Amino acid sequence: MWILLAAVVVAAMVYSIPAALRTYRGSELEETVRTYLEKRSDTVETQMMYYQANLFFLSPEENGTLILSPRSIEIGYSNGLDLLIEGLLEGPSLEELQEGTITLIPEATTLRGSSIIRNVAYIEFGAELQVPGSFGNEGTEYACRQIAATARSLPYIEECVILIDGATFYYENASLYQ
């Protein structure tokens, strides 16, 4: 009995699948589906290739305080955090400098590497970052804020840990500013 039932099911499938394919190919549905999938793959591919991110520099206010000033950039999906931080280490453009935008990240600062684990960016620098410049420890704090804000501008990073020679030097999460 079971063999007979299985044979009927197989026969029905053998007959109905080719019939369904002939109907599908004969209709305009095949072209519609193909067009939709092509559009969708192009859109998804384009969306996945780039992120909008920000490099954060500092702008002096009239009262003497410094505020984080973003410069929007487009970053390749595969390039990641290292490229973003390297862009920050390059400093503001000539035009931004003329507008008064500055950076307090020491010029000799080197990026040793970065990783992202569970939405937390771990960014390691050489010891140059902790050398107090003209602005002392407060300048170092602002430099770390620039780095953390830049890292958190990526949509998948919520927290930032800055390491110097493998030891935690600075920590920041998004809830500090909410």
Side-chain angles (χ1 to χ4, degrees), residues 31-49:
E31 186 61 32
T32 303
V33 169
R34 182 176 290 122
T35 303
Y36 170 76
L37 290 175
E38 286 173 2
K39 278 185 180 178
R40 184 167 184 258
S41 71
D42 289 347
T43 304
V44 170
E45 189 175 302
T46 302
Q47 289 173 347
M48 296 306 268
M49 290 178 65

Side-chain angles (χ1 to χ4, degrees), residues 115-122 156-159:
S115 61
I116 302 166
I117 302 170
R118 295 186 180 173
N119 298 3
V120 179
Y122 295 87
Y156 49 86
I157 295 179
E158 297 171 5
E159 300 175 44

